Amino acid sequence: MNTIQISHTSISKAIEIIDHLDDDALDATAEKYVEAQPVLFGYAISAGQEYENEQLEGLIIYYFCLFSEAFTQQGVNLRRIEEEDVDNFIDPYNEMLDQFFDEDDEAILEDFCDQPDLNQFIAIEISEEDEDGTTLDDDTATQLFTVTTAIVSLLSRAIID
């Protein structure tokens, strides 16, 4: 596991940047991050498509950009995630999720995805109301948790020390 943690400060800076982009700038930012990590984006968006949840697909794009920006704000270098990385990740990740949901033990998640500030951010995002008062339904919240935790875990594993 890497030793670099994405801080609350980097997350806050990323939110400030991503949330204030107009549609064109957001599209350009998404394109930049998709080009940098096409396999990761493909894996994340395909998960959204498998759930057949259109709302989830939009959220995945947003959080993919947000997390990519947070890693950028932290100043870390990332290697490109390859198909092999995703293939080697899926089974241990699904085993961790099963154990996490069975035992409801945060330590299981923290041990697997060594990004405590991002884990906390994800938990808050899926459980609290948006600024406009909307909340996610339980299925979408669980699906978003599953996909965003995978994104963060894979990005964290791609950090070049």
Side-chain angles (χ1 to χ4, degrees), residues 67-129:
F67 296 146
S68 297
E69 186 63 38
F71 278 77
T72 298
Q73 290 300 314
Q74 191 69 38
V76 298
N77 293 314
L78 299 171
R79 66 175 175 74
R80 185 175 275 215
I81 296 165
E82 302 295 342
E83 293 286 346
E84 182 180 346
D85 298 314
V86 174
D87 292 344
N88 292 333
F89 172 81
I90 290 172
D91 288 339
Y93 182 65
N94 287 331
E95 290 170 15
M96 180 278 301
L97 283 177
D98 289 343
Q99 185 181 8
F100 172 74
F101 287 126
D102 286 347
E103 298 177 23
D104 195 28
D105 183 356
E106 294 290 323
I108 294 167
L109 178 66
E110 291 169 11
D111 286 345
F112 189 86
C113 177
D114 191 24
Q115 291 294 338
D117 292 348
L118 282 168
N119 292 341
Q120 180 185 35
F121 172 75
I122 291 168
I124 291 168
E125 286 291 293
I126 64 170
S127 63
E128 293 188 357
E129 290 183 351

Side-chain angles (χ1 to χ4, degrees), residues 17-101:
I17 290 167
I18 299 297
D19 284 359
H20 289 94
L21 296 175
D22 63 26
D23 288 344
D24 290 340
L26 185 58
D27 287 346
T29 299
E31 188 174 316
K32 173 179 81 170
Y33 287 127
V34 169
E35 285 178 11
Q37 293 291 354
V39 170
L40 176 59
F41 181 76
Y43 166 69
I45 205 69
S46 70
Q49 292 165 345
E50 286 176 27
Y51 288 123
E52 296 179 4
N53 182 336
E54 286 183 34
Q55 178 188 17
L56 181 63
E57 289 181 41
L59 291 167
I60 289 170
I61 295 167
Y62 170 79
Y63 285 107
F64 178 82
C65 291
L66 183 67
F67 296 146
S68 297
E69 186 63 38
F71 278 77
T72 298
Q73 290 300 314
Q74 191 69 38
V76 298
N77 293 314
L78 299 171
R79 66 175 175 74
R80 185 175 275 215
I81 296 165
E82 302 295 342
E83 293 286 346
E84 182 180 346
D85 298 314
V86 174
D87 292 344
N88 292 333
F89 172 81
I90 290 172
D91 288 339
Y93 182 65
N94 287 331
E95 290 170 15
M96 180 278 301
L97 283 177
D98 289 343
Q99 185 181 8
F100 172 74
F101 287 126

